[in-house]
Every structure is written in C-alpha cells, then in structure tokens.
Amino acid sequence: MYRIREVDPQDEEVADTLAELHQLTFCDGTRVPDFGQGYWWIAFRGLKPIAFAGVVSSTHVANAGYLCRVGVVMPHCGHGLQVRLTRALEARARRSGWKAIVSDTTDNHFSANNFIRQGYRLFEPASPWAWQHTLYWRKQLV
C-alpha cells in the first residue's frame, strides 16, 4: 500500500529525502529544484520514500501553479503514483486560490499520457520557458 503526504521542505531531513528522490528518478537529467519554494509531497511504501512531487507559483502564467516535478522510483512506476501525486497538488492549488496548473513534458510520453488522462490540455504559452520541442500543459481548476 502507498501513502502520500504533504511535507515541509524546510525540515532538513525532508529536504534531503526530496534531493535523494530527485537523484534516483532524474539522475543528472535536470537541475535540482529549490525545495524551499512551493508545496511538496512524498509517497511512501511502508516507511520507504518512493516518489515525490512539487508545485510552485508559475512565473509564466498568471494565477497558476507550475507542476515542476513528479518522480517515481523504479519499480514503483505503473501503480498510479504520478496521478495520485498530481491530484494532491491540484487540491492544494485550489486551496491556494490558483485558477490553473501548468506544466511541461519533453520526450516523456508516459507523463504526457498521464496529463491527458487527468484532463490537462496542450497550450502555447505567450513566453515558452523550455526547449523548442517541449509540450506545454494546462488544466483549469474549478
């Protein structure tokens, strides 16, 4: 059984765990985010942390959160954790008064399909913030 909880990244142990999960899931493929910004979640299998997610205030879309990271450690992929973590951060975004969540994917069809299943739609931001072949996603929160 998996358990997801919102965590306080100001806690040194939590920040270390987030950094370890980031390394396990992204290797050196992308920079480590500033865990001191936004809201963060960790998924556990028993006492073992096996996935994480984070959302920060978007700097590119007004009144929106930016889903900046979701990572699931192998062999826990395929158990719906990315979807469950995204639902948790969407609920937090609503409570924070944001009207939308935006994100992006680059060469990751698994994440793109998860966004589609969860009601995210492709959009073209006024100022693209990633690579030329990046897909941008937005979900209006009601």
Side-chain angles (χ1 to χ4, degrees), residues 6-23:
E6 188 171 350
V7 295
D8 177 6
Q10 302 303 322
D11 178 303
E12 192 173 318
E13 187 175 321
V14 168
D16 289 346
T17 299
L18 288 167
E20 289 171 19
L21 287 167
H22 189 275
Q23 177 61 34

Side-chain angles (χ1 to χ4, degrees), residues 86-142:
T86 302
R87 284 185 190 145
L89 67 84
E90 288 172 359
R92 164 54 81 182
R94 285 183 187 93
R95 290 192 306 273
S96 296
W98 290 330
K99 301 298 180 202
I101 295 288
V102 296
S103 194
D104 54 79
T105 57
T106 306
D107 300 328
N108 187 333
H109 65 276
F110 295 109
S111 290
N113 283 329
N114 279 333
F115 278 135
I116 292 167
R117 277 192 288 278
Q118 294 179 83
Y120 285 75
R121 298 291 176 248
L122 288 169
F123 81 108
E124 285 189 45
S127 299
W129 58 82
W131 306 101
Q132 185 175 7
H133 60 287
T134 293
L135 299 176
Y136 296 94
W137 302 94
R138 176 175 47 211
K139 182 176 183 178
Q140 297 301 128
L141 303 175
V142 223

Side-chain angles (χ1 to χ4, degrees), residues 16-64:
D16 289 346
T17 299
L18 288 167
E20 289 171 19
L21 287 167
H22 189 275
Q23 177 61 34
L24 287 169
T25 56
F26 291 96
C27 300
D28 292 325
T30 187
R31 68 174 177 75
V32 176
D34 178 0
F35 295 121
Q37 301 295 312
Y39 305 99
W40 294 89
W41 291 261
I42 295 177
F44 296 86
R45 173 88 188 224
L47 298 176
K48 185 175 178 67
I50 47 85
F52 76 109
V55 64
V56 298
S57 182
S58 174
T59 58
H60 297 280
V61 177
N63 201 23

